[in-house]
Amino acid sequence: MDCAKSLLVLIVCLRVGAQSEELSQNQSNQSTPEYILPCYKKDPNINKCLQKTFNHLRPYLINGLNDLNVPSIDPFKLDKIIIENGQGPLKVKAAFYNVTATGAQNYTVESINAHVDNYIIEIGLKFPRMDIRGKYDVNGNVLLFPVRSKGDFWAIFLDIDAAAKIFGTEFVKDDVRYMKIDKMLVDFRLKKSRFRIRDIINHGNVIGEAMNNFLNNNSEEIIKEMKPAARLSLARHFKGFLNSAFMQLPLKTWLPDA
């Protein structure tokens, strides 16, 4: 009789344990979105894990993350980039606005260097191609000649190497821990570029064509002049973009302690 009772107790315990494990597993599956591959902070291969996680995100970012109200990464838009240069042969003030870029969805994360205890993450990325278009307005002097140009622009950038450095902090909301990006730095390098403009002031005349030729013949110098302003605009854009996700994803979902 005692053996029968003991066997019954054992069966009940095993069944309760199995149900508890199944419930725990279901809750875990429900709390972790399919686009997240969690990485443990104590993982000795945390960099490889985060690299896999960011690359795993790519197809989901194309359509946007609806549950977090995060829009599609492609295309992304920049309201305005202001460039002002008062030295050298190119002395201009240029405004690029209503800028739309496509091609971000084809990114590949090639390296990660994370200091997760301090929430500092360095990311190396590659983009095969970016197509950019928008409006521009230029005033200044090129080789002592006054320049006034305004209209539409198109640009193609190929073989882009980019780097981003994220400085985050932890914060608690409703007893839940999150990460917030306080600062973000961005840099990039292009191997090839091509520009085209439609100058509505000088359209169809020799000045308009001269501007197109100048842009393409001096693309490296122009990109060099654009770079500081572009880096700030990109960092500001992606800081907001990433924060909209990170500030809704508890740390235990994507970067649990154990």
Side-chain angles (χ1 to χ4, degrees), residues 149-167:
S149 183
K150 181 179 181 180
D152 304 304
F153 80 92
W154 298 264
I156 299 173
F157 300 146
L158 302 176
D159 297 328
I160 306 163
D161 291 314
K165 189 169 185 178
I166 293 170
F167 298 84

Side-chain angles (χ1 to χ4, degrees), residues 35-58 107-125 166 179 246 251 253-256:
Y35 51 80
I36 295 293
L37 296 180
C39 293
Y40 294 97
K41 289 181 74 172
K42 302 302 181 183
D43 185 347
N45 297 311
I46 185 70
N47 291 333
K48 288 293 184 183
C49 184
L50 287 172
Q51 181 181 359
K52 184 178 180 180
T53 293
F54 277 99
N55 281 321
H56 173 77
L57 264 174
R58 181 174 54 204
Y107 77 84
T108 300
V109 175
E110 298 207 316
S111 65
I112 294 277
N113 183 24
H115 306 275
V116 290
D117 290 334
N118 298 319
Y119 299 106
I120 298 175
I121 305 174
E122 299 176 67
I123 309 173
L125 306 101
I166 293 170
M179 188 190 88
F246 280 132
L251 279 166
T253 301
W254 67 278
L255 193 64

